[in-house]
Amino acid sequence: HVFDVDSCGQSHAVLVRELNEDRYLVKSESGLFVVADGMGGHDAGEVASASIVEHLKSIGIPSSAPDLKARFEDRVIMANREIRELSSRNGSTIGSTLAALLAFERSYACMWVGDSRIYMLHSGKLSQLSRDHTEMQDLLDRGLLTREAAASWPRRNVITRAIGAVDEPAFDIAHGRITPGDKFLLCSDGLTAHVPDEEIGSALAENSPEQACGSLIDLALSRGGTDNVTVVIVEFREAAEPAPEFWAN
């Protein structure tokens, strides 16, 4: 038990949506924090995101960082299979983004699929740890689309990866060390569509996780709230008893 963890998760269907297809999970005792944004609208996007969260609820208490990662991957694979079977029965494509923070001792791993994001506030500086799996991001990376044109590009929200889209989900991963005072934010694109990184960083720096969650969701709502918005914030504070770190394979 290296850190005391202060965490909060909040979600809102926003003003223009009747259905909330977002789901989140906060399991500090397991070192797992998740945001999932279902896609498919009336074709059961909310079922896809709920399947992921329900499977991950059983993750238990890991014995090591590799154990936590393996437990996480096993449960996502089961959820992916369940979503694929539902899609086959319905004759339609459904799926979900997934952004996850895994924390064990002094180490973290961020794993994601889709355009739900993971940020880290370290020493007052905000960094985006995830990279969007979208057509727009691919074009930006290749220099075929400018930032100015991307703001109004009609396919800017089309994602290129999702849980449930293929038989074997492919994650990207970023990992590193946790230091006292570090804060992480996981969110669906309902937040980043309306709130720029500068304001996200200020909200994290100036508020507790619970206050920042409420403030950021209120900002998204005040600016139109065109999509479900979900925010999970995790702060790590030094605990009294230090312990060794593990993240080796």
Side-chain angles (χ1 to χ4, degrees), residues 62-139:
S63 60
S64 66
D67 180 41
L68 174 56
K69 183 171 178 284
R71 290 174 184 232
F72 171 80
E73 291 174 334
D74 286 346
R75 282 154 179 80
V76 174
I77 288 171
M78 288 189 287
N80 187 78
R81 186 180 304 122
E82 183 175 90
I83 296 165
R84 297 282 287 167
E85 291 171 353
L86 179 61
S87 294
S88 179
R89 289 197 303 268
N90 288 357
S92 60
T93 300
I94 66 171
S96 177
T97 70
L98 174 57
L101 169 67
L102 286 65
F104 187 87
E105 305 267 336
R106 293 189 181 275
S107 297
Y108 74 84
C110 298
M111 301 179 69
W112 70 94
V113 176
D115 63 353
S116 291
R117 290 183 180 176
I118 308 170
Y119 291 88
M120 179 184 189
L121 185 73
H122 173 74
S123 298
K125 180 180 179 182
L126 186 75
S127 301
Q128 182 179 334
L129 301 180
S130 61
R131 172 193 170 278
D132 294 350
H133 295 138
T134 61
E135 289 187 1
M136 182 180 75
Q137 188 63 55
D138 288 343
L139 292 174

Side-chain angles (χ1 to χ4, degrees), residues 164-249:
V166 294
D167 289 336
E168 299 292 335
F171 288 97
D172 276 353
I173 183 170
H175 54 83
R177 288 176 56 85
I178 305 169
T179 59
D182 284 347
K183 293 182 181 180
F184 293 82
L185 178 143
L186 295 76
C187 64
S188 61
D189 64 338
L191 177 70
T192 51
H194 299 288
V195 183
D197 288 2
E198 293 79 11
E199 290 181 281
I200 290 174
S202 295
L204 287 177
E206 298 168 7
N207 298 283
S208 69
E210 183 175 6
Q211 292 169 332
C213 275
S215 174
L216 289 169
I217 288 179
D218 287 347
L219 274 176
L221 292 174
S222 70
R223 293 169 183 174
T226 55
D227 197 1
N228 308 145
V229 55
T230 299
V231 178
V232 169
I233 298 175
V234 189
E235 180 180 7
F236 293 90
R237 301 169 182 162
E238 190 76 67
E241 292 287 334
E245 68 166 276
F246 300 93
W247 199 269
N249 292 321

Side-chain angles (χ1 to χ4, degrees), residues 10-46:
Q10 293 183 24
S11 186
H12 199 293
V14 302
L15 307 177
V16 297
R17 296 285 186 97
E18 295 181 359
L19 182 66
N20 192 345
E21 295 185 311
D22 289 359
R23 297 292 185 273
Y24 70 89
L25 180 64
V26 173
K27 285 185 72 70
S28 299
E29 69 279 11
S30 302
L32 178 64
F33 309 88
V34 169
V35 167
D37 180 357
M39 65 176 198
H42 294 294
D43 290 324
E46 76 281 6

Side-chain angles (χ1 to χ4, degrees), residues 42-56:
H42 294 294
D43 290 324
E46 76 281 6
V47 175
S49 56
S51 174
I52 294 168
V53 167
E54 287 303 313
H55 279 89
L56 287 171

